[in-house]
Every structure is written in structure tokens, then in C-alpha cells.
Amino acid sequence: MIQTKLIPRTAEAYEPPMLIKTLLAQSLRYEPQREIVYRDLFRINYVQFNQRVRQLANVLAEVGVKPGDTVAVLDWDSHRYLECFFGVTSVGAILHTVNIRLSPAQILYTMNHAEDKVVLIHEDFLPLLTAVKDQLTTVETYILLSDKVYTNTIDTQPGVEIPVGFSGEYEALLKAASPEYEFPDFDENTWATSFYTTGTTGNPKGVYFSHRQLFLHTMGLLTYLIGYEALPFKSRTDVYMPITPMFHVHAWGFPFLATLMSAKQVYPGKYEPEMLCKLIVTEGVTLSHCVPTILNMLVNSPAAQKFRDNLSRWSVLIGGSALTKGLAKAALDLGINISAGYGMSETAPILSVVYLNEEERALSLDDQIDFRVRAGRIAPFVEARLMNEDGQFVSHDGQSLGEIVVRTPWTTQGYYNDPERGADLWRGGWLHTGDVASITPDNWIMVADRTKDVIKTGGEWVSSLDMENVLSQVEGVAESAVIGLPDDRWGERPHALIVQKPGYNLTAEGIKNGLKAKVDQGELHKWYVPDRILFVSEIPKTSVGKIDKKRIRSEMKDQILS
């Protein structure tokens, strides 16, 4: 680092730190009457929301939470979760967003590893808690989250049974707490949040972020989504609803942005197609984000057909896995404004989002699909490069492939209590994503595959994502997954799992013949015809809805090759 001259500082001058409480404060300035809605059960405005966040801060103090302590949350997407995003972090404590879809053993590991002190848990997950409670080593008390209290007015709450070891029920505790709380200043590098991401080997890894990192990630979203209008999101008219779990990278950071903007927010609780579609229509939702699995579920549900005339105002950002052309076209046919983005847990997560320039916006929707399914254009303040196996940078010519390596103001600095894997993540001073891609001269990222999922066959690299994209466009294919399996002659060969849509009677031979015809016409490379196609009722998914190719390879290898 070069030697520079720092600006002089006056002893009494105030330099405000970048803290999450500052994002919260903006929500009262311009549109405090806007609402935050939970399913069809509960709604508050931003004045009430701010009061509740402060009441939560007082509740946390009452149960013994101090700066630096870790508070865990196990809940569906809700206003309570949003209150924890701000209330827990703004008192200087650490918010652990527990992945409720992990196995009980993994949840136990993450809660002990994170050293959770207080746990807020929805009644739906009490059986899970029962399975691990006696093995939790640091938890001192629990707070119950119950939807039963919203079935009548808050003043006439029905009885809720409080389990032994619980401090009480959330709404009752808030009601008894003062709405006055002065959030303190502290160092902006203070640890704010933690969550755990599963890898191919070993225990889940603890990812962590500071107030400064989350503040700057929010500013990055603000710049790209609103400044550049990469997605239409205007605080005056737009309504936000996440369909990415709030435990998954803070719902991609959008709740922080929506609160900063005092935009209307809708939280759907447990994901149910009928409820999601109902909320989109009745609450006027205009912006959501989700993984392809959720969108596929919605697009193919009877509810989507029922509400199809009301979906034209809805924009959806797809991430977590590749958006296929087939799914994009199905969404566009319903009037949904669909586009893709790219990032990972360790990057908070946004690295790129589809941005169509003036020339690209002038294209027809059919011609735009090729752009909309890309990983996106590199986001502001993100430095992204391609690196080969020798650690050398690769040209951004739209053809050359390399691993995406990045630097941003908001990437995690490592993994909690795991210096070895943290050092591997940051080898050479760049965060290694594990994704193989090309980058065009005009900053489009086109992800080819995960490094571990690229199929190495006949001396060539074949992208499993490209193959899935081709299969998604076969009429009658609802979902597909492609993996490489060992082959004595070619090293690896591609094998496909396919879920077909109801009413179709596809055959492996029919699909292969269709692909071979495209090969003969020069539209596809010969390697893009799978050796074996297996029809399944569902494709294995990870806890956050991504296709679980590790599980497919390990558990279904014998079945595919039989």
C-alpha cells in the first residue's frame, strides 16, 4: 500500500460510522405510512415497525443479550425476521440466521459453532429443537414466535403455551417493552451477521459480515437496481416480496434496501404457491427474487394460471442457479419480467445483475432471452476477473474460460474459526468463486459451470449448465439436471435427469434423437447429447433450492449407469 497524506482531524468532529441502524433511520424520513405485511395475518407501517425494533432491543437487553453475543433466528420469512435484521444488529449483537432446511445434526453443529446465546424460534420448528436442545452448549434462553397471536387482534391474543426454558412469546414480550431505545454508535467493522453455507466436504462453513460490508452492499444494490434501473424498483410505486429465505444471505440483501427506501414490503411466511400468488395480486407485489426451483414451482402451478392476468407488473430476479431459456420463456409468457443475477454466500451476495442497454432493450422479448439468462453485467464497485489453473488472468473476450475471482467492498473476510478454508477462499488476494465463466468486453458474465461440475469429455470441457439450458427448451421438460460420470474411453460422459410436465409421455430415445438432429444441423456440439437420460419424479435439491449435483453423483450413480 502506498504512503499517503491523511486529512487532518478536528478533535470534536463527528465521523458517523456505516451502521445498519443508519439504514433503518431513513425509513421514517419520507414515506413512514408505507406498510410491512405478513401473509394475510398482520400489517404495520414504518412508524410502528421502528417502535417494534426498539421494543425488540429492550427485550434482548432484558434477557441478557450484550454487544458481541449471538442471537439465532429460526423462522419463516416474516416481519419478525425483518425486525431482527435491525434490532439484533443495532444493539451490537450478532444475528445468526439459521438454515432451517439443514439436517438436525447440521443445525446443531451451526448453533454450537456460532455460540448462540438466545434463540428466537417459530412454533413450527419446536420438534426440531426438541431433537437437539439437550446438546446445545451455549444457549441460555428461547423466545417463541407464534402465528396464533395474529388470528385475533393483538389485544385479545389467544392463549399460547410457552415451553419450559422460554422467556416468553415474542408479541407479548414486545408489548411489555418500552418503544424507546437509543441505538449506540460503535465501530463499523463490528460483526453484524452470520450464517452457514454447506460445501462438498466437511461441516458447514460460517460466513460473516460487518456493519460496514452490509451498508456498502446496500449502497451497491441502490446504485445498480435504482440508479441504473437494472431492475425496476422505485420506492414510490413498487412493492417488494422476497421468495428467497431470509436465512439465505439476508434474502440477498434486499430487505435492507427496501427498508432504506421505505418501500412497501410483503413477507409470505412459508412458501405456498396459492398464498404467494394471492399476495402478489392482493398486495400489488412488483419485485421478488428466488432460485429457479421456486419460479418453476410457481410457473407450473394451477395458481399461476388462475392469476396469470395479474402477473404482468411482477419482476423477478433469479439467482442461486442458472436461469434456463425454457424457464425464462415460460415466465415471460405469463407476463413476468424475468432476468438473472449472480453471486454467492461469501459475496453478500450480489456480483452481477442483468442490465440491458438501449440497444438490447430495443430487441424483441424472444431476442432478449439470450441476454436475460446470462449471469448479468458486473455490478458497480465489483472487480471481477478470470483466472486459469496456473493463477494467470484470462482475457475478457467472451470466449476464454477461467474461474471467476472477485474483490468487492462487501465480500466476507473468511470463515469463522476455519482459517484453512478461509485462506483457500482468498488465495492470491482474490476471492475464488469456484465458477468457470467467460466475460465479454462489455462486462457480461456468462457462467459455464461450477469447477466441480464441468464435464471433461474427450479432451473438451462441456458445461452442464449449457446442456440443462438445451434440455429446458424441449417441449414437455419441466426440469433437468446434467452431471458427468466416469467413462473409460472419454474420461467423463454426460448423464441427465429429467422431470417431465404432467400430460407428456417423453422418451429418452425421442429426446436424444431431437438433440442429434440439432447436432446434424450444426446447432449443437456432439458432446451435448447425454449418454443416458433417466426420468425422475423430482431432482434432489440443496437446503436453499439449488440442484444438488453432489448428491446426484453419489446417491444415483448406480441407478444412472445400470
Side-chain angles (χ1 to χ4, degrees):
M1 192 168 290
I2 66 170
Q3 194 69 28
T4 59
K5 186 175 182 179
L6 300 179
I7 62 170
R9 295 181 181 274
T10 302
E12 297 300 317
Y14 175 63
E15 184 175 1
M18 300 180 194
L19 299 177
I20 291 172
K21 71 167 186 174
T22 310
L23 303 177
L24 175 67
Q26 312 314 307
S27 67
L28 286 174
R29 292 199 169 186
Y30 307 111
E31 302 285 354
Q33 80 287 349
R34 292 254 174 80
E35 289 185 315
I36 297 168
V37 179
Y38 176 50
R39 291 176 75 88
D40 53 0
L41 296 174
F42 188 72
R43 60 182 66 229
I44 50 175
N45 62 31
Y46 274 96
V47 173
Q48 294 165 315
F49 175 74
N50 274 262
Q51 290 174 344
R52 288 169 60 88
V53 170
R54 285 166 169 76
Q55 287 171 310
L56 173 59
N58 282 310
V59 168
L60 294 173
E62 184 67 25
V63 298
V65 172
K66 297 183 291 297
D69 287 340
T70 302
V71 177
V73 177
L74 294 85
D75 193 12
W76 305 113
D77 290 3
S78 72
H79 61 294
R80 295 171 300 227
Y81 223 138
L82 185 67
E83 288 158 6
C84 289
F85 271 32
F86 292 94
V88 173
T89 57
S90 294
V91 300
I94 301 163
L95 174 65
H96 174 199
T97 57
V98 178
N99 185 341
I100 55 178
R101 294 175 183 161
L102 295 178
S103 68
Q106 288 176 314
I107 290 176
L108 173 65
Y109 170 82
T110 64
M111 294 179 71
N112 282 337
H113 190 264
E115 302 174 5
D116 296 338
K117 182 175 181 178
V118 174
V119 178
L120 286 74
I121 182 168
H122 191 280
E123 58 200 349
D124 286 356
F125 306 118
L126 291 179
L128 188 156
L129 179 64
T130 300
V132 303
K133 188 175 180 182
D134 291 343
Q135 301 172 70
L136 292 171
T137 56
T138 59
V139 176
E140 295 180 3
T141 191
Y142 304 85
I143 293 173
L144 182 67
L145 308 175
S146 173
D147 287 351
K148 295 185 180 72
V149 299
Y150 305 126
T151 55
N152 292 314
T153 65
I154 296 300
D155 291 332
T156 58
Q157 294 175 8
V160 176
E161 183 178 350
I162 308 300
V164 175
F166 279 60
S167 293
E169 183 274 320
Y170 185 86
E171 288 293 348
L173 291 172
L174 255 62
K175 186 177 180 182
S178 169
E180 302 295 327
Y181 191 99
E182 188 68 31
F183 291 122
D185 275 357
F186 41 76
D187 193 307
E188 63 189 29
N189 293 300
T190 296
W191 188 353
T193 65
S194 179
F195 56 86
Y196 285 75
T197 180
T198 55
T200 55
T201 59
N203 288 315
K205 303 183 293 289
V207 180
Y208 50 86
F209 293 98
S210 68
H211 282 254
R212 182 179 189 275
Q213 289 170 319
L214 296 179
F215 185 99
L216 290 173
H217 183 264
T218 306
M219 294 303 106
L221 282 176
L222 186 70
T223 302
Y224 204 25
L225 298 185
I226 300 170
Y228 286 96
E229 295 188 359
L231 278 176
F233 191 22
K234 300 176 179 63
S235 64
R236 296 187 304 278
T237 56
D238 280 296
V239 179
Y240 164 69
M241 181 176 76
I243 320 179
T244 303
M246 298 179 79
F247 66 71
H248 187 215
V249 208
H250 327 106
W252 300 356
F254 280 82
F256 290 120
L257 175 64
T259 302
L260 163 72
M261 296 169 59
S262 58
K264 181 179 177 180
Q265 302 185 59
V266 180
Y267 288 88
K270 187 176 183 179
Y271 297 161
E272 300 161 333
E274 186 75 23
M275 175 58 70
L276 291 172
C277 289
K278 177 182 177 182
L279 290 170
I280 291 167
V281 174
T282 60
E283 301 296 341
V285 175
T286 59
L287 177 64
S288 297
H289 48 78
C290 64
V291 296
T293 304
I294 297 295
L295 182 66
N296 191 61
M297 175 188 74
L298 285 170
V299 165
N300 290 296
S301 71
Q305 299 304 320
K306 177 180 175 181
F307 295 113
R308 64 176 300 140
D309 294 338
N310 302 98
L311 299 177
S312 60
R313 295 182 65 245
W314 192 34
S315 296
V316 181
L317 176 66
I318 294 295
S321 298
L323 172 62
T324 64
K325 289 183 180 179
L327 182 56
K329 189 175 188 311
L332 289 168
D333 287 346
L334 286 170
I336 302 169
N337 179 18
I338 191 78
S339 58
Y342 169 70
M344 57 189 297
S345 297
E346 292 83 349
T347 62
I350 299 296
L351 294 174
S352 63
V353 173
V354 165
Y355 171 79
L356 301 178
N357 61 26
E358 290 182 2
E359 183 179 344
E360 293 153 354
R361 288 195 296 272
L363 298 172
S364 68
L365 277 180
D366 283 345
D367 290 334
Q368 287 181 13
I369 287 180
D370 284 340
F371 294 99
R372 287 173 179 263
V373 299
R374 293 180 178 181
R377 275 191 162 106
I378 300 170
F381 317 121
V382 172
E383 187 178 3
R385 304 289 297 274
L386 298 175
M387 188 176 286
N388 64 22
E389 293 178 339
D390 297 324
Q392 303 298 313
F393 290 123
V394 175
S395 175
H396 293 187
D397 56 15
Q399 301 295 324
S400 303
L401 293 176
E403 182 188 9
I404 304 171
V405 295
V406 298
R407 292 169 172 167
T408 80
W410 48 74
T411 40
T412 189
Q413 296 298 295
Y415 297 118
Y416 181 49
N417 278 344
D418 198 344
E420 184 175 331
R421 287 199 283 187
D424 183 61
L425 177 72
W426 273 101
R427 60 190 183 277
W430 289 81
L431 187 145
H432 288 250
T433 66
D435 289 314
V436 175
S438 61
I439 299 178
T440 68
D442 55 349
N443 295 310
W444 281 102
I445 295 178
M446 295 182 290
V447 175
D449 225 328
R450 295 290 293 169
T451 54
K452 60 182 179 292
D453 292 332
V454 171
I455 301 168
K456 303 173 183 67
T457 183
E460 296 194 33
W461 281 14
V462 176
S463 166
S464 68
L465 300 183
D466 284 351
M467 293 190 68
E468 290 161 6
N469 199 29
V470 169
L471 290 170
S472 77
Q473 298 173 73
V474 175
E475 186 176 358
V477 171
E479 204 172 8
S480 66
V482 176
I483 60 169
L485 291 176
D487 183 88
D488 291 338
R489 181 181 180 186
W490 302 110
E492 285 186 325
R493 289 293 295 144
H495 298 258
L497 301 184
I498 286 179
V499 177
Q500 58 181 319
K501 295 178 180 177
Y504 284 83
N505 188 25
L506 302 176
T507 66
E509 200 61 31
I511 292 176
K512 284 187 184 182
N513 288 338
L515 296 177
K516 287 175 182 176
K518 291 181 180 293
V519 171
D520 294 340
Q521 295 165 13
E523 297 178 26
L524 289 179
H525 194 285
K526 64 179 180 179
W527 299 121
Y528 278 57
V529 181
D531 270 22
R532 180 69 60 88
I533 294 175
L534 179 67
F535 291 94
V536 294
S537 59
E538 62 179 348
I539 291 173
K541 304 293 195 311
T542 68
S543 62
V544 292
K546 300 179 184 179
I547 294 175
D548 193 342
K549 294 191 176 181
K550 174 189 172 186
R551 180 179 163 192
I552 293 171
R553 280 189 290 263
S554 64
E555 295 184 3
M556 304 189 73
K557 180 177 176 181
D558 292 340
Q559 184 180 5
I560 293 174
L561 293 178
S562 60

